[in-house]
Amino acid sequence: MSVRTESTVPHRAGFACFVGRPNAGKSTLTNALVGTKVAITSNRPQTTRHTVRGIVHRPDAQLVLVDTPGLHKPRTLLGERLNDVVRTTWSEVDVIGFCLPADQKIGPGDRYIAGELADIKKTPKVAIVTKTDLVDSKTLAAQLLAIDQLGRELGIEWAEIVPVSAVGDKQVALLADLLVPLLPEGPALYPEGDLTDEPEQVMVAELIREAALEGVRDELPHSIAVVVEEMLPREDRPADKPLLDIHANVYIERPSQKGIIIGPKGKRLKEVGTKSRKHIEALLGTPVFLDLHVKVAKDWQRDPKQLRKLGF
């Protein structure tokens, strides 16, 4: 009888994506698994627009997380494009994690997504119960049963049903342990140090956007787009005191929204700058001078030309 030693365990590498209705905890889970902030998190639905990939490096595997926007019934051209992105992503990954919050009963939005998932036959699906820190054990047990039942009704065979709390860091490592065996065998897809394959400028724009969303009234979440115009090291700085100049524009749809973003005497925009600068400096590991301007791009969500210009 031969005993398998650690070194002969095949290395696995592949792509996983988390799906779920908006605000089901997908981005927070991505960040918890990767151990650093790569996907923007906000308590407003529909904040993730780019396919942010978080990369989990392990001795036995490399798990690449693709974060798709929440799937929803589209109302605008942007909504339709986002849904197309979702379906394309689902068909290309090795495993799908379906996120359902523990503190909310399964609703029509979850059923809509589960129905779409049922059509994708080959890809293994893991049901992930998120936000378990918000409920007691009885509520959690009921949710686990409901998810099992949902799978039966739609003919989805869950590879696993896992409760996690990304905030309390409960079972996050276990989730990675369960996802890894579902990946194909193969060498690492990205170099060891990489945490995401998003260009830095896109990540910087996302961090600014996240800060701009915070505390803004409900009508604004979709109306904000951020474009980083340039990122340049400041000239004539000593090598031990570098400074990166970042010039970015925050686009909104209507002139009336400008005041909301800028705030009385520019106070709000200043807060956005201070907050996002901290995150950007942590991400890039260098001091940053951030220059922010607010501009109006009229009804950009419905205009194909503007969507392209703003990177969608």
Side-chain angles (χ1 to χ4, degrees):
M1 170 182 127
S2 68
V3 179
R4 267 194 117 167
T5 59
E6 195 56 43
S7 61
T8 59
V9 174
H11 186 278
R12 293 178 180 275
F15 294 86
C17 77
F18 294 142
V19 304
R21 63 188 147 100
N23 205 15
K26 303 181 292 287
S27 295
T28 309
L29 193 53
T30 298
N31 292 337
L33 277 161
V34 176
T36 185
K37 190 161 189 158
V38 291
I40 73 165
T41 54
S42 152
N43 58 4
R44 315 214 156 271
Q46 278 313 106
T47 46
T48 311
R49 289 199 188 133
H50 293 279
T51 304
V52 177
R53 294 174 171 82
I55 304 168
V56 183
H57 299 274
R58 296 171 37 134
D60 60 335
Q62 190 177 69
L63 176 64
V64 183
L65 302 168
V66 187
D67 195 17
T68 57
L71 188 79
H72 60 299
K73 296 206 162 102
R75 287 195 303 275
T76 60
L77 181 64
L78 174 66
E80 280 172 33
R81 285 206 185 159
L82 291 176
N83 277 0
D84 290 343
V85 169
V86 176
R87 292 198 184 86
T88 308
T89 305
W90 289 6
S91 59
E92 291 168 356
V93 297
D94 301 298
V95 55
I96 298 171
F98 182 23
C99 296
L100 298 120
D103 63 333
Q104 294 163 41
K105 285 199 155 71
I106 292 174
D110 301 314
R111 286 181 179 281
Y112 175 67
I113 294 167
E116 296 275 332
L117 281 180
D119 292 341
I120 296 168
K121 299 287 183 231
K122 288 199 179 98
T123 317
K125 298 157 201 73
V126 173
I128 303 164
V129 187
T130 58
K131 310 187 184 186
T132 57
D133 51 303
L134 302 179
V135 299
D136 59 22
S137 54
K138 198 173 153 199
T139 312
L140 178 57
Q143 186 72 324
L144 293 171
L145 283 170
I147 291 167
D148 184 50
Q149 184 57 36
L150 179 69
R152 279 173 217 252
E153 281 170 31
L154 295 169
I156 301 171
E157 197 176 316
W158 304 119
E160 305 279 354
I161 300 179
V162 199
V164 299
S165 164
V167 176
D169 203 21
K170 282 203 180 78
Q171 307 237 85
V172 173
L174 171 70
L175 175 63
D177 291 344
L178 295 171
L179 292 174
V180 163
L182 300 170
L183 303 177
E185 291 180 16
L189 303 160
Y190 291 89
E192 179 86 31
D194 288 11
L195 293 169
T196 171
D197 74 348
E198 276 289 13
E200 283 175 349
Q201 260 170 269
V202 173
M203 294 182 71
V204 166
E206 288 287 84
L207 288 170
I208 296 168
R209 189 160 164 265
E210 179 180 19
L213 279 174
E214 237 164 76
V216 164
R217 292 215 301 274
D218 292 335
E219 68 266 30
L220 278 194
H222 300 297
S223 310
I224 299 176
V226 176
V227 176
V228 173
E229 297 296 335
E230 59 177 16
M231 283 170 48
L232 294 169
R234 175 91 49 103
E235 287 177 14
D236 311 325
R237 296 281 294 192
D240 58 339
K241 288 193 178 158
L243 184 67
L244 188 67
D245 283 315
I246 297 178
H247 300 278
N249 290 328
V250 178
Y251 288 97
I252 48 183
E253 293 196 290
R254 291 186 290 286
S256 60
Q257 297 170 336
K258 220 169 173 173
I260 301 175
I261 291 283
I262 293 170
K265 295 195 174 136
K267 186 166 166 264
R268 207 167 132 43
L269 190 64
K270 200 180 254 156
E271 279 168 14
V272 170
T274 307
K275 192 160 201 171
S276 55
R277 198 186 73 237
K278 275 201 198 96
H279 287 309
I280 294 165
E281 290 180 341
L283 173 75
L284 303 177
T286 179
V288 161
F289 171 78
L290 183 58
D291 175 40
L292 285 182
H293 292 275
V294 179
K295 298 193 168 187
V296 179
K298 201 169 169 319
D299 291 332
W300 64 263
Q301 293 192 66
R302 295 171 192 282
D303 178 347
K305 263 224 304 278
Q306 305 237 45
L307 279 172
R308 270 201 302 280
K309 189 182 122 192
L310 298 175
F312 298 109

